[in-house]
Amino acid sequence: MKNCRIPQLAMLAIISLICGTAHAQQDTGYHWYTPSRIEGQGFPVAAKYDRLPAKAEKTVPPKVWNLSRMSAGLSLRFRTSAADLVVRYVVTGKQDMPHMPATGASGVDLYSIDPNGEWKWSAGKYSFGDTITYRFPGLSKNIGEYRLYLPLYNTLKWLEVGSREDSIHFLPLRQEKPIVIYGTSIAQGACASRPGLAWANQLDRILDRPVINLAFAGNGKLDPPVTELLTEIDAKIYVLDCLPNIGGLPAAEIKDKVLTAVKQIRKVKPHTPILLVEHGHISGNAAQEAAYEQLLLDGVKQLYLLPAAQLGMGLESTVDGTHPNDIGMQQYANGYAQALREIFHEPVGNINTTIPCRQYRELVRYDWDLRHYTQLSMNKKEAPEVLIIGNSIIHFWGGTPAGPIARGTDSWPAAARNMGFGWDRIENVLWRVYHDELDGFEAKKIVIMIGTNNLQMNNDPEIIAGLQQLILAVKERQPKAEILLAGILPRVDMAERVAKINKSILRLAGSLQVQFINPGQVLLKPDQAPDSSLYTDGLHPNNTGYSKLAGYLQPYLK
């Protein structure tokens, strides 16, 4: 009897069938979700994962349009209590590149934010084939948000996220003004080993602000049709980072391109900052500097230049002498973050009270993000003249936007905006101030009553350092407002410490030339001990306590 040999193609088909069956069995019992919202898009788009509007196909160069179909910089934001997730999707192009692995060009990347606002990375087990699959086992149930970064150098046909529990909730799009980047292959993400390491995506996490990535590989060339599209986005800043693609042109042509792009933006957006970026070993740097200097002489404001040296690229920073590896991407991200923090007036310290972050410690009772977006929306519709910033003591008192608990609503100071967020610490308020809650209007009076939630994790000097940074941030955004810095309200469980730190807060107010107020004194007995009859739990006032606070605040808020 002759040996039977299975033809090679038949064998591959059998293996494929076996693997496909195994995956199908493994994925049974999953609930599959198609994303309802895509982060990182600056325009309404025709195809779900595009980066430019449909009308751009007729105006931008064909190569730019094709590259705009790639999902670089796009991400999904969602919440889930699932212990494991599966992401499956199909791309249209080649899955890897000669200088970039498939995990970067065509992979996805999962990050999360814990209840205290710290970023975590989730390692995925991936399988590349006609359908690409990523599995994320062993996830924590105590997570506020997941962020899934999409492929950098490929076009998605479709994508689904699956969980065994019916519990994936896609979050609303962020409402803060975005950072808009017009750039080259470097900004698009070449050659990061995974999407989350592309410098623009790192910047998204470092500043925790939306980023619109309009980088088009070798075809980001300051083309006027693309620059015109930028002005349709209400940006926090425009980053023009096309020099690597135009650096070989004659100096006069480079200068003209930069002048044209900046003037084109300024015509529509006269006040939005613009950042020009230099790159190492590019002859066009001098021509761009000449354009920058001419624009300044012409009176153009809010124009900045990021020197190549600040990007910190070194011997080990690139794959091929041009495109950053993961080390280079980190250096790029840090360089950009430093420059943008200076432009935005967002300094960051080295202790938690001076490092802005979100929090998700109260998800059961209220949605922290939603309250933040509500504040932004209300500010646009009706600018507040008086606002009170704080934690749950303010949040659960009264006024608008209303909280999930309301005590003493009849005593809430009339016309004051309630900017209290339950469980907030100083660093959470700092994040909110950095993320537009005081922008776009002029307040008359701002009361700041924050710090009690830091008492159990920070010493007094750390709390004072955080309050100092917060006050300076408020002054920067509301220079005409009268700022009233309140002492921490008495706490039944740590009355002596509160009395001591309030003396330090009084001295801080004096050094910063703001008004110190001490409303907590109305919650004390004659012997200066907290009056427990005025509290619900030794920390939060009851109706009578709030009424006494209102009486104290009234003359200050007139």
Side-chain angles (χ1 to χ4, degrees), residues 109-374:
D109 212 0
L110 186 65
Y111 285 76
S112 62
I113 304 176
D114 75 6
N116 291 314
E118 292 189 11
W119 286 98
K120 312 288 184 184
W121 177 67
S122 300
K125 299 179 179 179
Y126 46 82
S127 172
F128 283 80
D130 290 339
T131 298
I132 301 173
T133 303
Y134 270 72
R135 301 175 187 280
F136 300 96
L139 301 177
S140 170
K141 292 181 179 291
N142 191 25
I143 289 294
E145 173 194 326
Y146 284 98
R147 197 168 298 177
L148 184 75
Y149 293 101
L150 302 183
L152 299 171
Y153 268 86
N154 223 319
T155 301
L156 284 167
K157 290 183 67 176
W158 60 264
L159 179 146
E160 294 178 325
V161 182
S163 72
R164 294 188 185 278
E165 296 91 355
D166 190 11
S167 62
I168 293 179
H169 170 61
F170 291 100
L171 298 174
L173 300 179
R174 291 176 285 174
Q175 295 181 21
E176 297 92 359
K177 290 185 177 182
I179 298 164
V180 178
I181 301 167
Y182 179 20
T184 69
S185 56
I186 297 172
Q188 186 170 336
C191 293
S193 64
R194 46 187 176 85
L197 294 179
W199 72 257
N201 287 341
Q202 291 192 54
L203 192 67
D204 169 76
R205 296 192 300 279
I206 293 171
L207 298 183
D208 203 6
R209 178 176 288 275
V211 174
I212 307 297
N213 189 329
L214 297 178
F216 306 114
N219 291 275
K221 298 180 178 180
L222 291 183
D223 292 314
V226 179
T227 311
E228 183 179 2
L229 287 169
L230 301 187
T231 63
E232 296 183 12
I233 305 172
D234 187 16
K236 181 74 171 178
I237 191 170
Y238 297 104
V239 178
L240 301 183
D241 190 9
C242 294
L243 199 57
N245 284 348
I246 62 174
L249 297 175
E253 191 171 344
I254 296 171
K255 182 179 178 181
D256 182 66
K257 277 183 168 287
V258 175
L259 292 173
T260 299
V262 172
K263 290 177 181 179
Q264 193 175 15
I265 293 173
R266 271 290 166 264
K267 186 177 180 180
V268 182
K269 300 290 185 180
H271 305 297
T272 305
I274 300 172
L275 177 63
L276 304 174
V277 184
E278 292 185 345
H279 287 263
H281 311 297
I282 292 178
S283 58
N285 285 336
Q288 180 170 256
E289 287 179 12
Y292 172 70
E293 292 170 1
Q294 180 177 323
L295 289 162
L296 294 181
L297 290 172
D298 291 344
V300 175
K301 305 295 184 183
Q302 293 279 66
L303 181 65
Y304 303 89
L305 183 69
L306 176 57
Q310 190 169 324
L311 297 176
M313 301 292 281
L315 183 68
E316 312 294 345
S317 301
T318 71
V319 171
D320 52 12
T322 300
H323 297 96
N325 54 25
D326 291 343
I327 296 172
M329 286 293 181
Q330 182 71 67
Q331 292 166 327
Y332 264 80
N334 290 339
Y336 277 96
Q338 178 185 343
L340 293 176
R341 286 203 183 282
E342 291 173 1
I343 295 169
F344 298 161
H345 303 286
E346 296 181 3
V348 172
N350 55 13
I351 55 177
N352 71 290
T353 56
T354 62
I355 302 172
C357 70
R358 286 187 283 164
Q359 59 99 344
Y360 294 99
R361 293 183 287 274
E362 279 276 9
L363 271 175
V364 173
R365 282 197 278 187
Y366 83 102
D367 187 319
W368 195 91
D369 277 354
L370 179 59
R371 186 165 176 82
H372 168 61
Y373 300 145
T374 300

Side-chain angles (χ1 to χ4, degrees), residues 48-51 65-74 89-97 100-108 128-130 132 149-159 188-190 195 215 217:
K48 191 164 196 171
Y49 300 102
D50 281 4
R51 292 184 288 150
W65 173 252
N66 291 334
L67 287 161
S68 76
R69 311 297 306 279
M70 295 180 175
S71 55
L74 304 187
Y89 57 98
V90 169
V91 295
T92 63
K94 187 178 178 182
Q95 295 179 358
D96 62 358
M97 299 163 65
M100 188 173 179
T103 52
S106 305
V108 296
F128 283 80
D130 290 339
I132 301 173
Y149 293 101
L150 302 183
L152 299 171
Y153 268 86
N154 223 319
T155 301
L156 284 167
K157 290 183 67 176
W158 60 264
L159 179 146
Q188 186 170 336

